[in-house]
Amino acid sequence: MAEKIRIKDIAERAGVSVGTVDRVLHKRPNVSASALKRVEKALEEMNYQPNMYASALAYNRSYKFYCLIPKHASEAYWDEIEMGAMKAIEQRRDFYLDLEIMYYSRLSPDSFIETYKKCLSYNPDGVILVPTTLEVTRQFTDELHDRNIPFVLLDSYMPALQPLSFYGQDSIQSGHFAAHMLMLIARQETTIMLMKQTKDGKMASRQQENREVGFRDYMKNNFPEVKIVEVNLPLDEEKKQYDGILEKFFSKHPEVHHCVALNSKAHIVGEFLLKTKRHNVQIMGYDMVHKNADCLRAGSISFLIAQHAYQQGYFSVDSLFRAIVLKKKVEAVNYMPIDLLTQENIDFYHRSWVQ
């Protein structure tokens, strides 16, 4: 083990007082240029490595982070992000970290603008953000840059916004993967169903748009003869209307035996299939939320693609902590694994590697 270097040792080597060394180490004023140069030289010669955790604790200040995510029902994908973020805060409570979750309506630019303006009024130390459209999100992130407030993007990577970090899947590659896995079991099919949810013709996120791009690209290049038939379950419809839409679809398309949902709502179709006893139809979906997991265990969903929402929430807080509190460099782009869950392995899918 390397010998601990004391401030007294540094002061003796540099020929300055202990107080001068302390001011240099904590970047305080009132240090002459010559003294600063001697201390920095001594630090280099002694290969001094500061204890960033101890320094941060000694600084004894509090930090408030804000997380802006879409409004959602309970047990949704976003719940996992919230739980992961709160776990990271809990594990760093000695550093006086706090996190507030703020919600906006994803398909309402006005809701997003109202929420981010409220966030800015609180003078956050750092922000975690699920973006809406590039144009509207840029209004917020430009202001964050102007105020030197670091922010982390989740869900959709928009490099033009220049975030501190991004956590999420490579959406295009994820769409390729979904198509590849689906067609391993649907190779003989002539038609597959693509379940979508839109409002006023708009998808809920760029992530889902990019997944669809990747999905269709793979199908075009490898299975151009397979017809993709869409069914839309509008976001602004009452859930009880969905059964009627799905009944009409499957009555019109009895040839469809395989479906894909590129969002976390595959369970809407899965529950319908179980209720109507359509055991000859299988679904591929996204996200290990409870309702999807139940359908996977019951057999109406064949596969779920997991994107580690809990870890995304956890590591987004960790990035802000390391950059703001510990003054460390963090990785800019962090693509999450693309995991495939089945009946056989779903019960072994845990969050434990960040707890």
Side-chain angles (χ1 to χ4, degrees):
M1 181 182 294
E3 184 178 350
K4 183 178 180 181
I5 300 174
R6 302 172 300 174
I7 290 182
K8 179 182 177 182
D9 301 326
I10 301 167
E12 289 178 354
R13 190 177 189 108
V16 300
S17 70
V18 169
T20 297
V21 175
D22 184 73
R23 286 194 292 274
V24 171
L25 291 177
H26 294 93
K27 296 181 169 45
R28 298 191 182 108
N30 303 320
V31 178
S32 69
S34 61
L36 176 62
K37 186 175 181 179
R38 292 200 301 274
V39 172
E40 288 178 340
K41 181 181 179 183
L43 293 173
E44 183 177 356
E45 290 173 349
M46 300 172 78
N47 192 28
Y48 175 76
Q49 300 295 325
N51 185 330
M52 303 303 294
Y53 278 85
S55 297
L57 285 169
Y59 196 46
N60 198 31
R61 65 152 290 187
S62 60
Y63 301 86
K64 186 68 176 279
F65 300 155
Y66 288 81
C67 179
L68 278 66
I69 65 175
K71 295 176 183 175
H72 58 274
S74 62
E75 297 188 351
Y77 162 74
W78 307 110
D79 271 356
E80 287 283 304
I81 284 179
E82 289 187 41
M83 287 188 285
M86 288 302 186
K87 183 65 176 181
I89 292 291
E90 177 191 330
Q91 290 186 340
R92 291 154 180 79
R93 56 183 175 271
D94 290 345
F95 294 89
Y96 306 103
L97 299 188
D98 192 15
L99 175 71
E100 182 172 333
I101 311 289
M102 304 183 73
Y103 303 97
Y104 66 90
S105 177
R106 192 158 197 176
L107 295 174
S108 170
D110 289 342
S111 173
F112 179 80
I113 293 169
E114 179 183 352
T115 304
Y116 87 65
K117 286 185 176 179
K118 187 175 182 181
C119 174
L120 288 171
S121 73
Y122 297 142
N123 296 314
D125 293 296
V127 171
I128 299 163
L129 171 64
V130 175
T132 178
T133 64
L134 177 62
E135 294 73 24
V136 176
T137 307
R138 194 194 295 273
Q139 298 174 26
F140 182 28
T141 58
D142 281 352
E143 184 68 27
L144 293 174
H145 282 302
D146 288 344
R147 299 191 188 190
N148 293 317
I149 299 172
F151 65 93
V152 175
L153 290 183
L154 295 179
D155 191 55
S156 300
Y157 183 39
M158 298 180 178
L161 301 180
Q162 298 180 293
L164 170 73
S165 287
F166 162 74
Y167 285 92
Q169 284 186 346
D170 181 326
S171 301
I172 299 288
Q173 194 67 13
S174 180
H176 285 172
F177 179 78
H180 187 175
M181 294 298 102
L182 179 66
M183 295 314 293
L184 289 178
I185 60 172
R187 189 171 294 273
Q188 305 304 318
E189 301 299 316
T190 59
T191 309
I192 59 174
M193 182 190 96
L194 172 62
M195 188 275 270
K196 299 172 71 169
Q197 288 194 292
T198 65
K199 182 177 181 181
D200 300 326
K202 297 179 181 178
M203 294 281 279
S205 73
R206 175 161 305 186
Q207 182 192 60
Q208 290 178 42
E209 291 176 357
N210 287 339
R211 285 176 187 164
E212 183 175 347
V213 169
F215 184 88
R216 289 185 179 275
D217 179 67
Y218 183 92
M219 294 299 294
K220 179 181 178 181
N221 291 332
N222 296 278
F223 296 92
E225 72 284 358
V226 176
K227 184 179 180 181
I228 300 173
V229 183
E230 294 184 8
V231 61
N232 183 30
L233 305 179
L235 285 165
D236 50 359
E237 288 277 1
E238 293 185 16
K239 290 184 179 180
K240 62 184 180 182
Q241 304 297 323
Y242 294 158
D243 282 358
I245 295 172
L246 291 170
E247 182 63 51
K248 182 177 180 181
F249 175 86
F250 284 110
S251 296
K252 184 178 179 180
H253 297 282
E255 77 280 11
V256 170
H257 302 111
H258 292 277
C259 316
V260 62
L262 300 177
N263 61 12
S264 62
K265 300 298 181 67
H267 60 82
I268 296 174
V269 185
E271 290 168 351
F272 170 81
L273 296 177
L274 292 171
K275 184 164 46 179
T276 58
K277 295 181 168 47
R278 284 182 166 88
H279 302 302
N280 63 337
V281 181
Q282 292 288 300
I283 315 164
M284 167 174 278
Y286 274 80
D287 299 327
M288 220 292 280
V289 297
H290 294 304
K291 290 182 178 179
N292 282 347
D294 289 343
C295 287
L296 184 65
R297 294 185 181 99
S300 61
I301 292 180
S302 300
F303 302 116
L304 286 173
I305 296 175
Q307 54 179 332
H308 298 276
Y310 184 92
Q311 286 86 346
Q312 288 182 49
Y314 183 96
F315 288 123
S316 61
V317 169
D318 185 62
S319 280
L320 290 179
F321 169 73
R322 286 183 287 130
I324 297 170
V325 181
L326 300 184
K327 314 298 182 188
K328 290 188 174 183
K329 183 177 176 60
V330 298
E331 194 70 33
V333 181
N334 304 273
Y335 285 124
M336 305 303 292
I338 303 173
D339 288 345
L340 194 68
L341 304 181
T342 68
Q343 285 180 327
E344 291 75 20
N345 70 354
I346 189 171
D347 292 327
F348 302 100
Y349 181 75
H350 299 303
R351 309 168 182 155
S352 59
W353 60 284
V354 299
Q355 291 186 339

